[in-house]
Amino acid sequence: KQGADRFFVSKLSHFTPSEAIRGGIPIIFPQFGPGPLPKHGFARVSEWELLQTARRENGDVSAVLQLQDSPATLAVWPYRFQLQLQVLLQDDALTLVLQVKNNDTREFPFHAVFHTYLRVADIRRVAVSGLQGVTYIDSLREDKREKEEHAEIRFAQEVDRIYVQTPDQVWLVDEETGRSILIEKENMPDVTVWNPWVEKSKRLTDFGDEEYQRMVCVETGIMDTMRVLRPGEVWQGKTRFTCRQS
Ligand code: TA6
C-alpha cells in the first residue's frame, strides 16, 4: 500500500527447502514451538501445491494452496490430513483463511498459526495494542503466566509471549511512519508477540544483527491449548490485515 512493504523478510533468509523463510507469514502446523516434532512443525518447510489463482476486475488477487499428508509427513506425524490456505490480496488488506481437515480414522490434536513478520520503521517507536488484561505465557521467564497490565506493548528488550484467548482485534502502530495495521482474527484464540532484540538476533544465522529494529512478529492462531479434530472434521481460522494511515 502506498509503495511500502508491510511485511518483513530478512535479507539473510536462506530460502532452502529444509528451512523456514525468515519473514513473510510462515504457516505453523501441527506443532507450535519445540516438542516431539521439529520446531514449529513441518508445514512451514513443506512444498505446498498451488490449486488456483484469480484476479478480479477491481485488481483483487486470490490464490488457494494445499498441503496434504505424504510419506514425509507420515514419517514424523502419523495422521492423514489436508490443509488449505486461501489468500486474498486487496488494495489495503490481506486476508488469510486456513482450513485443517482430518482425513484420518483417529482424532488428532494440533496447533495452527500464522507466524506473521510485520515490517516497522523503528521498533523503539512501535506499539501493539488490544491485549490489555489478557493472560500471557512468557517464554523468557520459564513460561510464567502473567496478566498484561499495559494498553500498549512497547519494545526495549527481547519479547516472546503467547497471549491466550485474546480479543479478535489487535493493532500495530508504527509511529515513525504514521502507518498502522489492524489485525482481525476469527476462530484463532491466541496471539504471539515476538522480537528477538540484540542477543537473539546475533544467534539467528538467517537474520541480520540489526534487523530486529525493523520487524515485529504478531502471530495469530492456536498456540496454547491444542485443538482436537475428529475424523472427517474441518477446522477453519481466519486473519485479516488492514493497512491504515494516520
Ligand atoms: O513465535 C515466537 C517464536 O516461537 C520464538 O520463540 C522464536 O524464537 C521464533 O518463534 C522463531 O522461531 P524459528 O524456529 O523460526 O527460529
Side-chain angles (χ1 to χ4, degrees):
K1 179 73 173 171
Q2 290 150 346
D5 273 338
R6 298 308 189 100
F7 294 96
F8 169 90
V9 181
S10 169
K11 291 190 170 61
L12 299 185
S13 184
H14 291 157
F15 293 103
T16 52
S18 57
E19 281 181 68
I21 295 168
R22 181 66 71 197
I25 310 182
I27 309 297
I28 308 301
F29 175 88
Q31 170 192 294
F32 181 77
L37 288 166
K39 188 179 169 201
H40 286 337
F42 51 74
R44 66 175 183 165
V45 289
S46 297
E47 191 148 329
W48 292 56
E49 186 189 348
L50 184 60
L51 291 189
Q52 115 194 11
T53 59
R55 185 181 194 113
R56 294 192 200 138
E57 269 178 26
N58 64 3
D60 292 358
V61 173
S62 61
V64 181
L65 295 110
Q66 179 170 280
L67 179 69
Q68 288 181 289
D69 55 274
S70 65
T73 68
L74 290 166
V76 291
W77 196 64
Y79 301 102
R80 305 204 56 194
F81 69 93
Q82 183 190 64
L83 295 186
Q84 280 204 356
L85 177 67
Q86 296 168 39
V87 182
L88 172 65
L89 185 60
Q90 297 172 290
D91 185 42
D92 62 351
L94 175 70
T95 307
L96 301 178
V97 178
L98 183 67
Q99 272 186 4
V100 180
K101 183 169 182 220
N102 184 343
N103 282 340
D104 209 90
T105 52
R106 296 160 302 153
E107 63 181 31
F108 62 65
F110 69 96
H111 293 132
V113 177
F114 296 133
H115 196 303
T116 307
Y117 287 75
L118 295 162
R119 178 174 291 278
V120 298
D122 176 1
I123 188 67
R124 290 181 171 82
R125 298 196 58 208
V126 161
V128 174
S129 59
L131 298 170
Q132 192 172 28
V134 176
T135 298
Y136 64 85
I137 301 166
D138 193 339
S139 309
L140 304 175
R141 296 175 66 203
E142 289 152 356
D143 288 344
K144 197 162 175 249
R145 284 183 184 245
E146 301 272 8
K147 193 172 185 179
E148 180 59 66
E149 305 289 351
H150 304 101
E152 295 180 336
I153 300 162
R154 291 189 170 266
F155 301 86
Q157 60 189 348
E158 185 179 352
V159 171
D160 192 351
R161 300 173 180 170
I162 301 172
Y163 288 82
V164 179
Q165 299 284 342
T166 80
D168 282 339
Q169 293 194 332
V170 176
W171 287 263
L172 172 78
V173 179
D174 186 349
E175 293 168 349
E176 180 82 13
T177 59
R179 294 185 192 119
S180 57
I181 292 189
L182 168 62
I183 302 166
E184 295 170 289
K185 60 186 178 63
E186 285 174 27
N187 211 18
M188 298 189 115
D190 310 320
V191 169
T192 289
V193 179
W194 178 56
N195 181 285
W197 215 252
V198 177
E199 292 309 319
K200 186 150 189 179
S201 296
K202 289 183 189 159
R203 293 200 297 274
L204 297 171
T205 60
D206 57 352
F207 189 78
D209 288 358
E210 308 295 329
E211 284 186 313
Y212 73 91
Q213 297 174 24
R214 294 187 291 280
M215 57 70 70
V216 61
C217 283
V218 181
E219 309 162 33
T220 47
I222 302 171
M223 297 146 212
D224 181 30
T225 307
M226 289 179 123
R227 173 80 152 80
V228 176
L229 213 53
R230 293 187 300 273
E233 199 185 352
V234 178
W235 170 88
Q236 177 171 298
K238 178 173 171 179
T239 298
R240 182 175 171 86
F241 305 88
T242 308
C243 299
R244 297 273 162 85
Q245 185 83 34
S246 57

